[in-house]
Amino acid sequence: MKLSTITSRTLLAVSLAFASTLVAVVPAQAAAPMQHKQVAGFYRTMIGDYEVTALHDGGGLIDSNLLHGDPALIQFLLARSFESDPKNVSATVQGYLVNTGSKLVLIDTGSGGHWGPPTLGNLVQNLKASGYKPEQVDLVLLTHLHGDHAGGIYKDGKRVFPNATVMMKKADADFWLSKEIMAKAPEDAKIFFKIAQDGAAPYMAAGKWKAYEGMDEIVPGIAPYAIPGHTPGHTGYMISSKGQSLLVWGDVAHVGTVQMPHPEISIVFDSDSDSAVKTREALMVKLATDKTMIAAAHMPFPGLGRLREADNGVGYDWVPVTFFNLK
């Protein structure tokens, strides 16, 4: 046997022995601990010259029994979208911040932690993470006064947006701020009245609460858009700049996997179910035809997308925006 062969074998044996020694004496590195944190919940896009920031308030689960329609069809649609538990269907809540260059306008404010699971109530936190401060908001527009849209305007009896005027359709304010209507409401609905009334109080005291009746532009490029049925004054907001448009549509749909393909299916939260269905059906035809971008409070975050007619001719598909950086 050649010396070179003996040397090679000897070196290999020594190396293996040394490696096994290292395994024995060097402690193994522990796996990196899980962080259990998510990225900040904001997303930006441009509509003409206007910057629109989607602000995530949080997520939760709702019972599909709240939907009104053919139960078998509802369960089929949920299963097709991998919603395996009909008692716990995933849902989300978000609002939209619009910077026109001269005004900072917040459309809907999330729950403020006053309603829903503890996973809601993060809109202001995400507004700050996006680079803005609550005191910079000039105007708050509410699509309606349900707790997951209007609850974020107050905290501990004080205004969260101290320099903002809060505006909403008069019909909605008249309904939810009425003590008489509240007294006659079912017990499980009274929380919505309480949130609306508690939220309105500090703004009214400061002269910063303004219900409107007309449909003229509120600030240049932002106009109310009638979407009746969900609540007495349910109203969307059309944002327009440089030939581009975005409709913030409030609660046109709550469970997109069901109500996009079948807009005739309603939900218990609608105050006038028949009207809400007719409005949704007509609005979806128009938005799909016009290819208008939509900001939807309860579609998967950021809730920005468009509608197109489904290939099978039944209802609509939701086409979400693609995430990309503005710069």
Side-chain angles (χ1 to χ4, degrees), residues 124-306:
V124 170
Q125 172 185 320
N126 286 316
L127 182 147
K128 293 176 181 177
S130 77
Y132 291 103
K133 300 176 182 178
E135 54 267 30
Q136 292 177 302
V137 176
D138 299 299
L139 178 64
V140 173
L141 299 177
L142 300 175
T143 59
H144 60 299
L145 293 178
H146 276 170
D148 54 332
H149 295 257
I153 62 174
Y154 74 103
K155 183 177 182 181
D156 299 327
K158 298 179 181 179
R159 292 173 288 155
V160 168
F161 307 101
N163 297 314
T165 296
V166 179
M167 299 181 68
M168 76 304 302
K169 193 71 173 172
K170 186 175 185 298
D172 227 59
D174 288 348
F175 183 84
W176 296 108
L177 301 187
S178 171
K179 298 289 187 182
E180 293 77 15
I181 297 174
M182 178 179 178
K184 299 175 183 177
E187 286 301 317
D188 59 355
K190 289 183 178 179
I191 183 64
F192 291 108
F193 290 88
K194 177 173 171 49
I195 291 172
Q197 293 168 20
D198 288 351
Y203 291 89
M204 286 181 166
K208 294 282 192 176
W209 183 267
K210 185 178 179 181
Y212 62 86
E213 293 190 76
M215 300 299 284
D216 296 333
E217 278 190 339
I218 297 173
V219 298
I222 303 179
Y225 193 100
I227 308 178
H230 179 57
T231 64
H234 185 246
T235 303
Y237 295 94
M238 184 68 81
I239 302 163
S240 303
S241 175
K242 290 287 185 71
Q244 298 181 21
S245 60
L246 167 71
L247 177 63
V248 183
W249 79 358
D251 279 3
V252 171
H254 290 78
V255 183
T257 55
V258 173
Q259 292 175 299
M260 294 296 177
H262 285 272
E264 77 278 7
I265 294 175
S266 62
I267 197 165
V268 69
F269 300 124
D270 293 335
S271 61
D272 184 341
S273 179
D274 291 342
S275 178
V277 167
K278 290 177 182 177
T279 295
R280 181 165 47 253
E281 290 176 333
L283 183 60
M284 286 184 172
V285 170
K286 178 173 177 53
L287 294 176
T289 300
D290 296 345
K291 300 180 177 62
T292 303
M293 185 179 285
I294 301 160
H298 300 304
M299 291 299 289
F301 185 77
L304 296 169
R306 291 181 173 84

